[in-house]
Amino acid sequence: MLIRQLRFQKFNSYTPFLKSYVKTVRIMSTFDIKFQGKQVPVKVPEQLSVAKSELLEFRPFTSWIRNLENSVSKHSSSKFVLRNIEIQSVDKFSKGKVGFVKLKADFLHPNGKPLPGIAVLRGGTTGMLVVLTAKGKGDSEKYVLLVSQPRVAAGSIDLVELPAGMIDDGTFAGAAAKELEEECGIKIEESDLVNLLPSSDDSILLSPGLLDEEIKFFLYHKEMPLDEIKALEGKLMGNHGHSSENEVITLRLLKFQDAEQYTRDAKLIIALSLYNRHKRAQEQ
């Protein structure tokens, strides 16, 4: 009887360790992708509840693999090696569609040492520079239409920024036209937009140390009565709680010459620079 009690006490002394060990064990499911003619395992913790098909249908994930493979192919003499990919987290939108993926790639430099491999995938986005000029006033009454909305990631509840949006499906220009209607209430055709980066490699990487995000910038310029322009200031847009996305957007109108000094938004600063370059090209 005494021996049984001692054994039971000894087992109980290991219980906290066993519980903590069980918590740290992650059950992985694995599937393979082809990279440089070889099979590379993709590891997915089962608690993420994301299927292989969902990841392969998530365009930013497949585009990231293709872009990395193309880049490695350009340096065929150097032996970069992708050993595996671990999916660390997946965020889905309200309808269950994958929106963001965080992963860690075990990617080796030709010197044999691993490269920083953490990436957050969200895909392509568009930025829309809306320039409004009062009829008969020229550049003396020239405005930029921006949006103000809560940006929790930036620690701000009223960040003033360029209208922008993610590309779900279709073209960059189509996504820009859609976002312009949703965020600013301006309905236009794709043909009304001017691509501010018309070269073959016409996108900008905003934070390539972590994000795959590439953004393309478009210009929409319109002449309209001054009173109609000023009526846009403070107008409420977005769905304001009418869906789970809860976009709360307020339109902000700034004089063109004041816009760059008013915000910390890099998208706006880049768009204004591209606009000035576009104007100079037109004048030549």
Side-chain angles (χ1 to χ4, degrees):
M1 187 69 168
L2 179 60
I3 293 174
R4 283 183 180 178
Q5 287 178 342
L6 289 172
R7 284 178 177 172
F8 183 73
Q9 289 174 356
K10 187 175 183 181
F11 174 80
N12 279 347
S13 68
Y14 285 106
T15 300
F17 168 76
L18 291 172
K19 286 182 177 179
S20 64
Y21 176 74
V22 169
K23 286 181 181 178
T24 60
V25 172
R26 292 188 297 170
I27 302 173
M28 296 277 191
S29 61
T30 304
F31 65 89
D32 289 339
I33 60 165
K34 187 170 285 188
F35 186 89
Q36 294 285 290
K38 297 179 181 179
Q39 297 297 317
V40 173
V42 178
K43 304 174 184 179
V44 186
E46 289 193 358
Q47 65 265 28
L48 294 184
S49 300
V50 61
K52 169 186 174 181
S53 59
E54 290 181 285
L55 287 171
L56 295 180
E57 290 169 5
F58 182 50
R59 187 163 66 172
F61 179 63
T62 53
S63 295
W64 172 78
I65 293 170
R66 183 179 65 252
N67 291 339
L68 185 61
E69 188 171 32
N70 290 340
S71 182
V72 169
S73 296
K74 293 176 182 177
H75 301 83
S76 56
S77 60
S78 300
K79 302 299 181 182
F80 288 90
V81 178
L82 178 62
R83 295 198 295 192
N84 64 70
I85 299 168
E86 180 182 338
I87 306 299
Q88 295 186 327
S89 68
V90 175
D91 288 286
K92 296 184 178 181
F93 294 137
S94 57
K95 295 181 180 179
K97 187 176 181 179
V98 174
F100 306 97
V101 169
K102 179 175 179 283
L103 60 81
K104 184 176 182 180
D106 187 357
F107 192 61
L108 298 184
H109 190 273
N111 63 17
K113 296 182 179 180
L115 291 165
I118 293 177
V120 177
L121 308 183
R122 60 169 299 179
T125 58
T126 61
M128 291 76 69
L129 180 63
V130 181
V131 178
L132 304 174
T133 305
K135 285 184 176 179
K137 300 288 186 179
D139 286 350
S140 65
E141 291 291 347
K142 187 176 180 181
Y143 296 85
V144 177
L145 187 63
L146 305 174
V147 294
S148 172
Q149 57 187 316
R151 289 297 195 189
V152 176
S156 175
I157 60 170
D158 56 356
L159 185 68
V160 177
E161 58 183 312
L162 195 75
M166 296 174 64
I167 297 174
D168 296 323
D169 297 296
T171 64
F172 277 87
K178 178 183 175 184
E179 288 294 331
L180 203 54
E181 181 176 4
E182 291 180 358
E183 293 197 357
C184 301
I186 299 174
K187 190 169 184 176
I188 62 170
E189 301 295 329
E190 287 186 42
S191 56
D192 296 325
L193 293 168
V194 176
N195 187 352
L196 290 174
L197 283 165
S199 64
S200 57
D201 188 17
D202 58 351
S203 62
I204 290 176
L205 296 171
L206 292 177
S207 185
L210 179 65
L211 300 176
D212 71 321
E213 180 182 5
E214 58 174 347
I215 185 168
K216 298 190 179 187
F217 292 92
F218 295 89
L219 166 68
Y220 176 67
H221 183 216
K222 185 178 182 179
E223 253 194 15
M224 54 195 296
L226 182 59
D227 59 337
E228 291 184 17
I229 293 175
K230 292 192 172 182
L232 293 170
E233 171 64 31
K235 187 176 180 181
L236 298 180
M237 300 300 299
N239 54 56
H240 284 261
H242 297 301
S243 82
S244 59
E245 303 300 336
N246 193 23
E247 287 187 318
V248 183
I249 297 171
T250 304
L251 297 186
R252 297 299 308 271
L253 194 66
L254 295 179
K255 276 291 191 76
F256 186 88
Q257 63 268 26
D258 299 333
E260 188 172 337
Q261 287 76 35
Y262 191 84
T263 180
R264 296 180 298 146
D265 180 34
K267 301 187 303 297
L268 175 58
I269 295 170
I270 294 169
L272 291 172
S273 175
L274 293 174
Y275 173 80
N276 289 329
R277 187 177 73 176
H278 170 71
K279 292 292 287 182
R280 287 195 300 269
Q282 282 188 322
E283 292 167 359
Q284 290 177 355

